[in-house]
Structure formats: C-alpha cells, structure tokens
Amino acid sequence: MASSTDEATASASPAQGYAVGLDVGGTKILGVLVGPDGSVEGTLRLPTRWGPEGVVSSAAEAVTGLLDAAGVPVERLTSVGVGVPGLVDPASGGVQHAVNLGIDAETFLLASLLSEHLGGVPVSVDNDLNVAALGAASVTGGDVDLAFLALGTGLAAGIVLGGELRRGVSGAAGEIGHIPVDPRGPLCACGQRGCLETYASGTALGARWPSQHGRPAPAELFEAAAGGDERAVLVKNEFVTAVAAAIRLLVLSYDVEHVVLGGGVSILGAPLLDAVAVALEEQASSSPFLASLEIADRVRLCPTDVPVAAVGAALAGRRKVSKWKL
Amino acid sequence: MASSTDEATASASPAQGYAVGLDVGGTKILGVLVGPDGSVEGTLRLPTRWGPEGVVSSAAEAVTGLLDAAGVPVERLTSVGVGVPGLVDPASGGVQHAVNLGIDAETFLLASLLSEHLGGVPVSVDNDLNVAALGAASVTGGDVDLAFLALGTGLAAGIVLGGELRRGVSGAAGEIGHIPVDPRGPLCACGQRGCLETYASGTALGARWPSQHGRPAPAELFEAAAGGDERAVLVKNEFVTAVAAAIRLLVLSYDVEHVVLGGGVSILGAPLLDAVAVALEEQASSSPFLASLEIADRVRLCPTDVPVAAVGAALAGRRKVSKWKL
C-alpha cells in the first residue's frame, strides 16, 4: 500500500503536473516550463553542447534550470518533450543524422538517456519542425489545419491536420523541399536537380546574396532591394517567388487553412510576408482556379514572442504521456 | 405509437439496411448495392443522361434498378452515396462545374433532388476522386493512408489518411495537377505554365500520341513503344517520368503508404506499373534520400474487378447517415 502511494506521488497525473518542452538547435536550446493549466510559466535559453553526451547533458541542464527557476520539484514534472533537427523515430525516441548536433548515422537513444538523467520522467522526442507545427497550431487555437513552413538551412514543412501531427508512414510527410520544380535547375544536396530547397531555403538565399556587412543575409538582401539595387531586387523576387511556390504546393496538396512561415528567414517579418503575398497574387493573376483558393490570405508569420517549437515539444510530450496513461 | 413504428420500418438503421453507391461519369453510371454486412450484393451499369434533370433521373433509375434486381424493397435502403466529376460541397450535396455531365457554374442540388426522387432516402454527394480513394482504401483494408492518383482527363489525387477522407478546407486537397514543375513548360488550362497535369494526364498523353487505330491512345502508345518505335519510346518515357514525379510529390508531401493508380490510363495495367516503377527507381538512383523512401514499392494499380468509386460512394453515404443518427 505504501509503495502504491509513493508511486502516485512520484508521478502526478499529466493534468496536475508540469511539462517541459525543449527546442534543441545547433547553437542553443530554448526551453519552456508549462504549468498544470497549460500556461507557460518559465522560459530558458542555453548553449547546446554537441554530440550525444553533450546533447543529453545540456538538455538535462535545461530541464533542471527551468524547474529550479520556478521552484518546482522534479516530482511534479510529468513529461519532457524534445524537438531536434534530425531524423527521429517518435516511437523509440531515437535520433539519427542530426548533423547540426554532431549526431551521425548511428541511432542515438535521446529519449531514454535523457529520461535516465531525470530520474525516469517520460521523455518524448520528435522532429523540430513537427513540434514547431504543433506549437504554432496551439498558439493559433489548437484544432486547426496548418503547415509550418521552415525557411532555414533546408526547406520543409511540419503538418498539423485537425490539431494532430501528420508524420507519415516513414516520418517524411512535409519533405516538400525535395520536390523538383525545374528539370534544368541546380543540383540539390539530395542528389536530384531543381529541388524547391535549392531556391527557397535560407541557404539558397545566402548562396545568391552572401552576407557582406556582418548581418543575416536575408536582412542585407531585403535592405539592398529596398534601396534600389537592381540585382538585389532580382534575387529577392526569385526568392519570394520560390517561397510562394512552396506555399502554393502546400495548399494544392493539403489545402490547409494556414501556412505559417518560420525558420531563420522569417525573422525578416512583415517585409517577407508582404513580398510573398505579392508573389502569390502574381501567380494567381493568370489563374482563376488559383485565385479562388485565396492562398495569400492563408499565410502567417510565426509569432516571435512565443518559442513555438518548445511549446509544441511540451505539448507533444504531454500528449504522449496521456496516451501511455490511457 | 403506430406512426413511430411506421417510421422505424421506413428507416432501418444503417447497420440493418442496404446502401447504394453510384459512380456517375460522363458516359456511364456504375452502381453497387451494398448489403447490411457490407458486402457488394449487386452491380449495375447505365448510360448517363446529361444536364441536371438527366443526371437525377438516370441516377434514380440506377438505384431502383439495383434494388429491383436484388428484390430489396426501397424501405430497406438507408443511404445513397454518389460520386461525380465536379466541384462538390459535401455539406449541401451541391454540384458545380461538372463539365462532363453538362452541369455549369450554377449550383445543382443533386443530393436533395435525388433524395426527393427516392422518397426521402438520405443522399450524400462527393467528388468522384474522393469516393474512389475511399473505395480503394476499403478494398486495401480500411484503416490506411492512401493516395488515389487519377490519370484521366486531368490529374488529381483523392487522399485518405487513417481511413478518413482528407478534403481540405476548401475541398482542394489533392489538386496536385496544378503544381507547376517546369517554369518553361506548356500553358495549362488553369492559366499557369508547366503544371504536372500538362505532362502526366491522359489528355497530355493523347495530345502527344493521338489514337490512330481506334483504340485508346495509351494502349497504342505503349504498343508502339514495345514495337521499337523511337518516338513512341520517347513519348512513353516522358509520360511515365511525369507520372513518377506525381507519385514522388504525393509521397514527399503526404508520405502515404500506398499510391493507387486509377483513371483511364491505368487500364494499361501491369505495363504501366512496370514502367512507372523503372522511372521511380531511376529518380532514386541519384538520391539516397529518395531511395530510402522506397517509393516504387508503394505503388499499386486500382483493382479492375471492383468498381472502387461506386463502393467508396456507398461507404461515404453510409458514414454520413451514421453521423446524422449519432
């Protein structure tokens, strides 16, 4: 009887307990502490240490840092959710090919290792785009259809349908960056030619307009274009046209209600959104069919005041625990 | 009390009653009668009469024909589901722009008109691709992720995720035919340039290799290619490469387990499947990422021994009635 009581104390129900969500990126970890009522009660930012050992220890440090700052004992932590930029098996919590974290082809069991570090708290791991999509959906209102389009190193989307993640049978749903859109286009790192990613990613932008003044390439490009530099105008137009093509593709395949722009390039904010809207209107100007879909009205910027990926990771962790308990 | 008993007799529960599914095409209606246990108890084929009046009266004729042939009284019919090639509002059962049925921009309330003709039996109407996808899923095993890729007049896909139709917020999910894949490609009827549909549809094939011997263009093309005609080999390769591109796009966006080839061109059967598999393997040969998705293994031909769209229509009708009764 005593042991049963102990167990109940050590694992509060998800509804009563706290959840932590971590967005583990190549340079930093963003963490949030979510309270029993679902509100964000604390945030934290730490540098990421690379390699399997480094990722586990810095993630554990982020969790304890969040708990300590809020004065919440670890016993009240019911779940941890982690988003990482790599190939993730959500069932096992194993990670592969997270190049930006120094993790190679060998499967690294992040979920179980981090859980051990934290005294057995359930840990779920998912792809960073998936948790970002889930976080963006929860910020938008929860039960929505939404694509989170990340314009970063690569180009890919996290997909939420009716509030639930669409992962696909092999975790490849939303890998639209590797759909070729020009048979004569540049070679892509994936081995194909003319992939959407070779036009619409942050990397593609940086290759065509490298940063020259120590600021992010997208900001320098948009400023040069605003200042009238003809080549900058051309490069900017090509880039936003490709982003518009990615959005059109998401709407024609999924017909989602919202497309949320995220990733490094989205820090441009309103000027990006405006330029993409113009490109979408231009594409629709020759096509009554496209125009009827009102694609430009579906596009949003990822909120910058909420760490959506960390919030989504916390949500994913809590949902996984709820399923375990059912 | 008597009226309540009458009512119960007149509307047997979906579980006890019969369902009819109709696949209404430009030239013919294919109908199935589905028994209380879900098995197909009868099929029927009738010519379609055009225009709103013609569609309603020939559809009603198909329903009564199926019931009469099986000796089932109309009182035991609990739902009718219809699939039509046009823009459908599944909520109202209204149809627009069904050019192949002689139905124009004015909304034609097929569901309520057909229901009136049948003494009030609930009628659901959906897009023909959606019901085909649902039918293909039920034949495959029900609770699956599947894209039904129709290679016909146009190019579009019906999408089923976890056994449920994915329609999208404006009914446009799966409209992948209007995703441009070559900025220098031919003008599409939709107003854009280089749409997938201008390469991978039955219409596109027929334009490049018109039927000359009174048989379907795809059959004549594949035979000429098999006979060594060099231009036929070229046209065939371009066509199957475009079909492979459509399949790759479906897998990279949805990551579905199965892609089922349907529509007029799919009557080619095994030679089409083989050629598409070769094209998919070729695309994957330069890309370890694509190869890892094993796309060729996901492709199936639509079964020809079952009228999948009519079966799917019956299923959609039955599901809608179940929701009404809940």
Side-chain angles (χ1 to χ4, degrees), chain A residues 145 159 161-162 166-176 178-184 190-192 248-249 251-257 283 286-290 293 298, chain B residues 145 159 161-162 166-176 178-184 190-192 248-249 251-257 283 286-290 293 298:
Chain A
D145 284 0
I159 310 284
L161 303 177
R166 166 72 193 163
R167 291 190 177 92
V169 294
S170 54
E175 284 289 356
I176 62 163
H178 298 294
I179 294 174
V181 291
D182 188 343
R184 296 164 210 81
C190 84
Q192 301 184 94
R248 174 181 56 193
L249 191 152
V251 171
L252 287 173
S253 56
Y254 280 100
D255 194 13
V256 281
E257 193 172 357
Q283 286 169 357
S286 67
S287 174
F289 168 66
L290 269 194
L293 297 175
R298 307 186 188 207
Chain B
D145 284 0
I159 310 285
L161 303 178
R166 167 70 192 164
R167 292 190 177 92
V169 294
S170 54
E175 286 288 356
I176 62 162
H178 298 295
I179 294 174
V181 292
D182 188 343
R184 296 164 210 81
C190 84
Q192 301 184 94
R248 174 181 56 193
L249 191 152
V251 171
L252 287 173
S253 56
Y254 280 100
D255 194 13
V256 282
E257 192 171 358
Q283 285 170 357
S286 67
S287 174
F289 168 65
L290 269 194
L293 298 175
R298 306 186 189 207

Side-chain angles (χ1 to χ4, degrees), chain A residues 6-127:
Chain A
D6 287 355
E7 209 179 301
T9 315
S11 63
S13 88
Q16 303 165 318
Y18 284 78
V20 162
L22 302 179
D23 173 16
V24 177
T27 55
K28 62 182 186 300
I29 296 179
L30 287 177
V32 295
L33 177 70
V34 174
D37 65 351
S39 63
V40 173
E41 299 195 4
T43 60
L44 175 144
R45 186 186 170 118
L46 274 182
T48 308
R49 287 188 292 276
W50 276 37
E53 264 311 299
V55 169
V56 172
S57 65
S58 45
E61 193 181 316
V63 174
T64 50
L66 282 161
L67 294 174
D68 289 352
V72 171
V74 72
E75 292 74 24
R76 293 210 58 202
L77 181 65
T78 48
S79 64
V80 172
V82 185
V84 295
L87 204 59
V88 179
D89 174 12
S92 70
V95 181
Q96 276 180 301
H97 298 292
V99 186
N100 295 334
L101 301 177
I103 287 166
D104 58 17
E106 202 176 326
T107 298
F108 154 50
L109 291 171
L110 173 55
S112 51
L113 289 170
L114 180 55
S115 180
E116 267 174 42
H117 264 256
L118 297 169
V121 176
V123 175
S124 81
V125 180
D126 220 313
N127 177 272

